[in-house]
Amino acid sequence: MPIWLKFVVIVIIVLSASSFVWYLLGATAFFQRGMDIVGTTYLLIAGIPVLLSAILFTLLLIKGWFPTSGVHYIGMCVGLVISILLSAILIYSVNSHGWTKEEIQSDSLQTTVDGKYEYRIELINLFQRNSNARIYLRDVGSDEEKYIPVNIQTRKIIVLGVKDVNHWIILEPTDKPFVYFMSTTKELGIPEEKFEIDIATRTSRKLE
């Protein structure tokens, strides 16, 4: 096999293998979630062929095969072009949200009954093993924004209904300064959970 063709084949093998690995990582958010129907379809249509082409070209290199006719050259060129196109499809289809970027779903902004804070709950990387939640707060008087982690059992959320207006939590003041009582609502799709929120220390404590 000519040196230039061998170099091209090696580059395509690396590209194909890399795009396949990148797709697996992206489609599963670094193995934090299962692959959905769309992801499985891309895997069958593009992923498996790319992997097979990389294996085939690797075997050709190992055996030292080289094209001996114009038909062989055309066939190899077509195979290389197809591998490039399928690799590009895999790379382009990868969703980086929930993996390299956080995917956040939040309910509608509400105001506490004492009028001191605007708030909402933010669900991060929902339906993944690394999912978590936090409360977003904005001090109405000073415009200061805060985020407080809350240990909601997000992994128990199977389906989340999203409407034009959503209220997944209720935040209520207590008789203690900067301490609020938070409870989840039925809209969140899990049994009610209750928390004590300390805004001053930006901490939360689950209540039994």
Side-chain angles (χ1 to χ4, degrees), residues 47-148:
I48 300 301
V50 160
L51 181 61
L52 292 176
S53 69
I55 294 174
L56 175 60
F57 286 128
T58 301
L59 291 176
L60 292 178
L61 281 178
I62 293 174
K63 292 183 177 182
W65 179 90
F66 62 92
T68 57
S69 67
V71 174
H72 290 165
Y73 271 106
I74 293 174
M76 175 164 278
C77 290
V78 170
L80 293 174
V81 171
I82 292 176
S83 295
I84 294 174
L85 292 176
L86 292 178
S87 297
I89 290 173
L90 285 181
I91 295 172
Y92 179 77
S93 64
V94 168
N95 182 2
S96 60
H97 292 286
W99 175 36
T100 58
K101 301 177 184 177
E102 290 183 341
E103 184 171 6
I104 300 175
Q105 295 175 277
S106 60
D107 61 350
S108 305
L109 203 61
Q110 304 180 68
T111 304
T112 54
V113 294
D114 58 9
K116 292 183 178 180
Y117 296 95
E118 288 184 340
Y119 69 93
R120 67 176 178 235
I121 190 72
E122 295 186 347
L123 307 175
I124 304 169
N125 297 336
L126 194 60
F127 309 126
Q128 296 182 188
R129 285 185 286 275
N130 63 345
S131 62
N132 59 89
R134 67 191 181 196
I135 297 177
Y136 163 80
L137 291 167
R138 186 183 73 85
D139 189 310
V140 174
S142 66
D143 273 343
E144 180 184 6
E145 296 180 322
K146 297 181 179 181
Y147 293 92
I148 302 176

